[in-house]
Amino acid sequence: MSDQDLNVTEAQIAVHWQEENKFQPAASFIAQANMTDPNIYKRFSLDNFPECFKEYADLLDWEQYWHTTLDTSDAPSWKWFVGGKINASYNCVDRHLEEHRNKAAIIWVPEPEDEPHVVITYQELYVRVNEFAAVLRDSCGLKAGDRVTIHMPMVPELPITMLALARLGVIHSVVFGGFSGKACGERIADSGSKVLITMDGYNRNGTMLDHRRKADEAVETAKAEGQDVEKVLIWRRMRGEYVSEKKMVKGRDYFVDELLQKQKGVRVEPVAMNAEDPLFLMYTSGTTGKPKGCQHSTGGYLAYAAGTSKFVQDIHPEDVYWCMADIGWITGHSYIVYGPLALAATSVMYEGVPGFPDAGRPWRIAEQLNVNIFHTAPTTVRMLRKAGPAEPAKYNFKFKHMTTVGEPIEPEVWRWYYHEVGKGEAAIVDTWWQTETGGFLCSTMPALHAMKPGSAGPAMPGIHPVIYDEDGNPVPPGGTAGNICIQNPWPGAFQTIWGDQDRFVRTYYEKYNKDPESKDWRDWPYFTGDAAVLATDGYYRILGRVDDVINVAGHRLGTKELESACLLVDAVAEAAVVPVADEIKGRVPDIYVALKPGKRGGKRVQDGVVESIETTIGKIARPNNVWIVPDMPKTRSGKIMRRVLASISNGRDVGDVTTLANPDVVEEIRVMVQGEGHGEEAIG
Ligand code: WTA
């Protein structure tokens, strides 16, 4: 039996949708769109690869122009735009001053509705980025190539921090604010950060959370893993007030506003970085326990983020663009910060939860700011549809364009988004991509293609996917599901896993590579870890992960990470985590634990498991159920059959289990979870 059979993948529990009717983009959208030339696909064909990507690189200002488009000598770590020198902060800020000095770069909406919005013009952004860069240089001694971890909520100080670091060539590693201090500490240690930048508190769902308390935990965790954090810089959410209960640690903790006092009016020259120097790390869950730091380049990444923002997000400088993701995820990096700001857009940021204080909130914000491009995840669309299906109609806003990202969207939910939120006029793009890929891989080009609910669409210009079966044979259009891979490199592709090149090659390139010595990109198809089907019209439908990753509300969680958190509970001997279909979140983890001999179960153990998951990872990983089972269903060689547990959790038939070592336990667990009778009905 292969390992594949022991696990259950998201793809295996994917709902099978039928072929859907297409929707045409509105004439009014097409009339103003950035990309209306179908020849773009010819220009970006494999015959013109890699030179075609010059078109994206030329959206940027280069301090020194590059000479080699793609260098494959270090395959499969690709180097793009070699010889080029560039600064990301300069491209997102300085170069817009001449034309757009007084234009809003960032509009920040605090969660409390009575707190005024904060509007930061490009000039103001320039001043704040420079002054903070001076703090980082002078008070922290940071220089190009150093790493800094950022653990902050959705406040304008977050992009300011990123851009200030990028100005110095310091590699930033933003950790999602909702992650626990422990999760943050592990990422600090892995990246070797000596400085942590955080905030004292923020609003979430009507309460001011004490975020600063996570910093102590993070520093302790990093120390235990051998990494000393020398300085913790703390932004204050409320001017002149400190909202945390935690005491400042002398000689380690500093209020940013106080350090800034000394830097009034200081300007810092942007450091010209090599195109292939890293801009940032973004940690994501993988198939083994440890999160991996995806390393993104400066020139290639920024070119790809800018190009896709321009053509797929259809951002013009006069647009008001709102992406409701968190900057702590790749979506926020590429499509709140780097892409939109590289194009001199107005990027809206919202501090809080979409449904606070009610499901009309996003539409009030859209109305008030006259947002015309809206970007969110299916999980949020499902939530808003459930909580306030008629809310969008009550507000006078008009989107020309909307995006969905992060997980498959059900056609029914897509149609609500289209008719109610888009009011039947907005073009929708369903963008499929990953932390690793820097930008979109598949999406319709909004003015060129019809939209098909539930399908991401054709590949992006210059992206050439192939669906392989397990043996490496390409699956033809109209065929069955398989592993979707990308045949060619592209500028947004990550360069390596920080500090673990072997794991990088193994995880992403080994599966379909035939010659590990090859320097030819054709020998290195990129393995995405997703299953997909390709319809005869050239549209891809993504089914979900084929590995041990669960996509919960659009956030990637490794089952191994969850299982190790369960094992921290003293009574727990074994743990297995499986994905369960969920109406709002897409997938949620169901947890099965077996106890050590002589240990008693009950609510204490269940609560212990939940608590351990929350402190090791964060609340987003909260399980659906914790089932305490007498024993795990196992093969005769002792491997836990997660597939069987997943069938039980998803209300499905468990199939033939007679070859297991302990078939009786399966029925016992089934009754515990599904109740008496036969649960053949599939959920979702
Ligand atoms: C899934 C988020 C279906 C997919 C940008 C991928 C999607 C994982 C879509 C990456 C989509 C992302 N349709 N599935 N439009 N977009 N996914 O790294 O399984 O947080 O591998 O990047 O999300 O998640 P990540």
Side-chain angles (χ1 to χ4, degrees):
M1 187 170 284
S2 77
D3 275 359
Q4 196 79 24
D5 295 326
L6 296 170
N7 294 327
V8 70
T9 63
E10 293 203 322
Q12 284 163 354
I13 61 167
V15 191
H16 292 282
W17 298 319
Q18 44 185 340
E19 207 36 43
E20 294 289 330
N21 291 331
K22 289 185 179 163
F23 291 72
Q24 294 298 332
S28 55
F29 177 80
I30 297 172
Q32 59 79 63
N34 277 330
M35 180 46 67
T36 50
D37 176 11
N39 283 322
I40 186 167
Y41 290 92
K42 281 203 198 97
R43 292 203 301 279
F44 280 78
S45 70
L46 276 178
D47 291 342
N48 297 328
F49 180 86
E51 304 311 324
C52 52
F53 281 110
K54 178 179 189 307
E55 205 166 320
Y56 284 13
D58 286 348
L59 295 171
L60 305 177
D61 280 5
W62 295 82
E63 169 85 24
Q64 181 183 302
Y65 206 67
W66 42 277
H67 51 68
T68 305
T69 315
L70 173 65
D71 171 355
T72 62
S73 60
D74 212 6
S77 286
W78 316 116
K79 293 193 188 81
W80 283 90
F81 311 130
V82 183
K85 290 206 178 281
I86 189 162
N87 184 280
S89 177
Y90 177 87
N91 271 276
C92 293
V93 187
D94 308 41
R95 69 165 175 157
H96 304 317
L97 294 179
E98 205 176 297
E99 233 180 299
H100 302 293
R101 194 179 295 280
N102 292 321
K103 192 199 138 145
I106 295 171
I107 302 179
W108 179 58
V109 181
E111 193 188 71
E113 244 175 324
D114 54 2
E115 205 178 311
H117 297 168
V118 173
V119 180
I120 300 178
T121 62
Y122 273 96
Q123 171 68 19
E124 238 173 299
L125 184 62
Y126 170 75
V127 169
R128 296 190 63 181
V129 166
N130 272 277
E131 291 177 353
F132 190 49
V135 166
L136 297 166
R137 182 190 61 191
D138 301 344
S139 306
C140 303
L142 289 165
K143 53 179 193 326
D146 290 345
R147 280 83 54 210
V148 165
T149 298
I150 308 174
H151 197 204
M152 288 176 68
M154 282 292 284
V155 290
E157 288 79 5
L158 173 51
I160 288 170
T161 301
M162 293 159 70
L163 293 166
L165 289 162
R167 197 167 189 86
L168 301 172
V170 176
I171 304 167
H172 60 70
S173 166
V174 179
V175 175
F176 170 56
F179 272 143
S180 65
K182 194 152 178 278
C184 177
E186 284 165 3
R187 288 156 176 79
I188 291 175
D190 190 81
S191 62
S193 303
K194 292 193 189 113
V195 176
L196 167 66
I197 305 177
T198 185
M199 184 168 251
D200 58 349
Y202 63 101
N203 291 293
R204 187 138 192 99
N205 227 352
T207 28
M208 176 67 83
L209 300 184
D210 186 344
H211 184 67
R212 159 69 181 79
R213 84 190 154 74
K214 291 183 178 175
D216 290 336
E217 225 184 331
V219 171
E220 265 166 47
T221 306
K223 193 173 173 57
E225 297 200 7
Q227 179 64 38
D228 277 323
V229 175
E230 292 163 8
K231 288 199 168 59
V232 178
L233 305 192
I234 301 169
W235 291 95
R236 285 195 267 199
R237 170 64 178 77
M238 311 295 286
R239 187 183 289 268
E241 244 183 81
Y242 179 50
V243 298
S244 170
E245 305 241 292
K246 289 282 178 187
K247 284 214 171 62
M248 298 286 279
V249 177
K250 220 171 167 238
R252 187 197 76 182
D253 296 357
Y254 299 88
F255 287 127
V256 174
D257 54 295
E258 290 176 2
L259 298 176
L260 278 168
Q261 294 302 326
K262 289 182 269 182
Q263 305 290 0
K264 287 276 166 256
V266 176
R267 301 290 177 261
V268 175
E269 254 323 282
V271 178
M273 302 299 291
N274 295 320
E276 68 273 20
D277 283 337
L279 176 61
F280 67 86
L281 307 179
M282 161 97 343
Y283 282 84
T284 190
S285 293
T287 42
T288 60
K290 216 171 124 205
K292 44 198 179 189
C294 296
Q295 177 185 315
H296 281 283
S297 71
T298 308
Y301 167 81
L302 197 63
Y304 201 68
T308 49
S309 294
K310 179 157 186 171
F311 300 139
V312 178
Q313 300 288 277
D314 199 53
I315 297 177
H316 302 61
E318 50 285 1
D319 289 323
V320 181
Y321 169 87
W322 182 18
C323 170
M324 218 175 15
D326 195 291
I327 293 175
W329 307 112
I330 192 69
T331 299
H333 275 51
S334 300
Y335 301 111
I336 297 178
V337 182
Y338 287 113
L341 297 182
L343 298 177
T346 296
S347 190
V348 176
M349 287 177 66
Y350 173 52
E351 177 182 35
V353 299
F356 181 85
D358 56 70
R361 185 68 190 279
W363 322 129
R364 285 198 289 284
I365 294 172
E367 179 184 79
Q368 197 174 359
L369 300 179
N370 206 16
V371 172
N372 67 342
I373 307 181
F374 183 69
H375 186 156
T376 193
T379 185
T380 309
V381 181
R382 290 190 288 258
M383 187 280 285
L384 293 168
R385 171 177 178 255
K386 191 169 184 200
E391 286 301 304
K394 295 182 190 160
Y395 298 94
N396 185 20
F397 65 91
K398 188 169 177 255
F399 296 147
K400 68 165 185 178
H401 180 291
M402 306 193 302
T403 301
T404 129
V405 62
E407 12 151 17
I409 184 163
E410 298 76 2
E412 207 36 49
V413 176
W414 189 97
R415 279 188 284 269
W416 180 80
Y417 196 37
Y418 180 77
H419 291 294
E420 300 303 319
V421 181
K423 306 188 175 179
E425 279 183 65
I428 299 185
V429 291
D430 179 344
T431 58
W432 169 67
W433 59 297
Q434 312 176 302
T435 304
E436 293 86 339
T437 72
F440 307 143
L441 294 176
C442 285
S443 165
T444 51
M445 197 55 86
L448 290 174
H449 296 119
M451 304 160 246
K452 186 156 87 173
S455 287
M460 288 291 298
I463 300 290
H464 301 278
V466 53
I467 297 180
Y468 284 127
D469 66 15
E470 276 303 307
D471 305 321
N473 307 307
V475 179
T480 52
N483 294 319
I484 182 164
C485 297
I486 311 298
Q487 299 176 53
N488 63 299
W490 65 100
F494 73 138
Q495 304 173 293
T496 187
I497 294 174
W498 180 258
D500 204 343
Q501 176 73 7
D502 282 354
R503 187 176 174 199
F504 168 72
V505 178
R506 222 180 325 122
T507 314
Y508 299 99
Y509 291 98
E510 195 172 67
K511 191 166 171 85
Y512 295 114
N513 167 265
K514 292 190 184 83
D515 174 11
E517 297 304 314
S518 174
K519 302 293 175 210
D520 185 343
W521 58 263
R522 290 168 194 81
D523 290 324
W524 295 97
Y526 167 75
F527 177 75
T528 64
D530 279 325
V533 284
L534 172 58
T536 45
D537 59 8
Y539 281 47
Y540 290 89
R541 184 150 72 76
I542 308 299
L543 302 173
R545 306 286 311 181
V546 297
D547 53 14
D548 300 330
V549 171
I550 308 183
N551 191 332
V552 180
H555 304 145
R556 277 165 68 172
L557 299 174
T559 48
K560 294 283 189 312
E561 281 169 75
L562 288 154
E563 287 169 5
S564 17
C566 299
L567 295 178
L568 296 175
V569 177
D570 183 48
V572 174
E574 284 179 312
V577 175
V578 297
V580 187
D582 180 87
E583 196 194 342
I584 302 291
K585 296 181 175 170
R587 298 279 181 274
V588 285
D590 235 11
I591 300 209
Y592 289 85
V593 293
L595 304 184
K596 292 175 184 160
K599 295 285 180 186
R600 296 248 313 268
K603 194 160 179 317
R604 271 220 0 242
V605 171
Q606 287 169 319
D607 290 348
V609 167
V610 173
E611 200 189 304
S612 177
I613 287 174
E614 287 186 2
T615 49
T616 348
I617 303 166
K619 282 207 166 61
I620 53 160
R622 207 171 220 285
N624 184 41
N625 277 303
V626 178
W627 302 104
I628 300 176
V629 296
D631 194 8
M632 294 288 177
K634 286 188 186 141
T635 60
R636 285 176 206 268
S637 60
K639 290 192 178 170
I640 299 176
M641 286 290 285
R642 290 183 180 74
R643 185 177 57 73
V644 170
L645 296 172
S647 299
I648 294 176
S649 280
N650 286 285
R652 299 215 174 135
D653 187 10
V654 294
D656 181 13
V657 292
T658 48
T659 58
L660 294 190
N662 51 356
D664 295 348
V665 84
V666 175
E667 181 56 13
E668 220 176 305
I669 299 174
R670 196 193 66 73
V671 171
M672 175 195 264
V673 176
Q674 297 179 347
E676 297 292 342
H678 291 283
E680 303 252 321
E681 223 172 285
I683 304 176

